[in-house]
Amino acid sequence: MTQRTWGWLAAVIDVVLIVLFALIGRSSHGESESALGLWTTAYPFLAGWAIAYVTSGAWARPLRFWPTGIVVWVLTVFVGLAIRVATGQGDVGGDPLPISFVIVATIVLGVFLLGWRGIARLALRRSTRRGRDSAGRAA
């Protein structure tokens, strides 16, 4: 696969995982699973991801942990939380940013956005190793 293909695939995987994060969150809190509700929950994090994807140059090196994965993860969380606070989302008893949500969002998005990159890198490394081993036996 070309680097360009990986760049597009990484973008799709990231977006799907961010939407999945929003869907799981809404479901775990018994909120409606309407398209508008899902969009309302997901868009702050998608906006953070878009900023991160551009600033990190993720399309050029989509599987790297540094700077790509870390920048994508941190900015997705930071910008997403900032937008949620600015728009009044997630206010719990007068607390605009419950620490429990910050912790959950940071951990889950970290596992999602860094985890798939780690799995992909491991699979590619094994595939490359297998290819070299079979080429060596054929020679």
Side-chain angles (χ1 to χ4, degrees):
M1 237 180 3
T2 68
Q3 198 69 12
R4 184 176 180 167
T5 303
W6 271 114
W8 282 106
L9 183 59
V12 169
I13 292 170
D14 283 349
V15 167
V16 166
L17 290 172
I18 292 166
V19 171
L20 179 62
F21 162 73
L23 188 61
I24 291 168
R26 292 188 64 79
S27 177
S28 70
H29 292 286
E31 296 174 334
S32 75
E33 295 180 16
S34 70
L36 180 60
L38 181 58
W39 170 251
T40 301
T41 302
Y43 90 82
F45 298 100
L46 292 170
W49 170 84
I51 292 167
Y53 206 77
V54 170
T55 59
S56 71
W59 64 88
R61 45 188 189 278
L63 299 182
R64 292 186 59 189
F65 282 115
W66 179 257
T68 306
I70 300 297
V71 170
V72 166
W73 170 42
V74 170
L75 284 179
T76 297
V77 171
F78 182 78
V79 172
L81 293 175
I83 291 172
R84 284 179 56 87
V85 169
T87 59
Q89 288 188 46
D91 190 285
V92 177
D95 184 358
L97 193 59
I99 192 68
S100 59
F101 181 71
V102 173
I103 292 168
V104 168
T106 302
I107 290 171
V108 172
L109 287 169
V111 168
F112 279 7
L113 298 174
L114 296 174
W116 82 260
R117 285 175 168 84
I119 292 167
R121 289 171 60 105
L122 181 63
L124 285 172
R125 204 172 290 139
R126 286 187 178 178
S127 173
T128 302
R129 207 174 298 139
R130 257 190 236 123
R132 277 185 279 168
D133 290 349
S134 64
R137 281 187 290 237

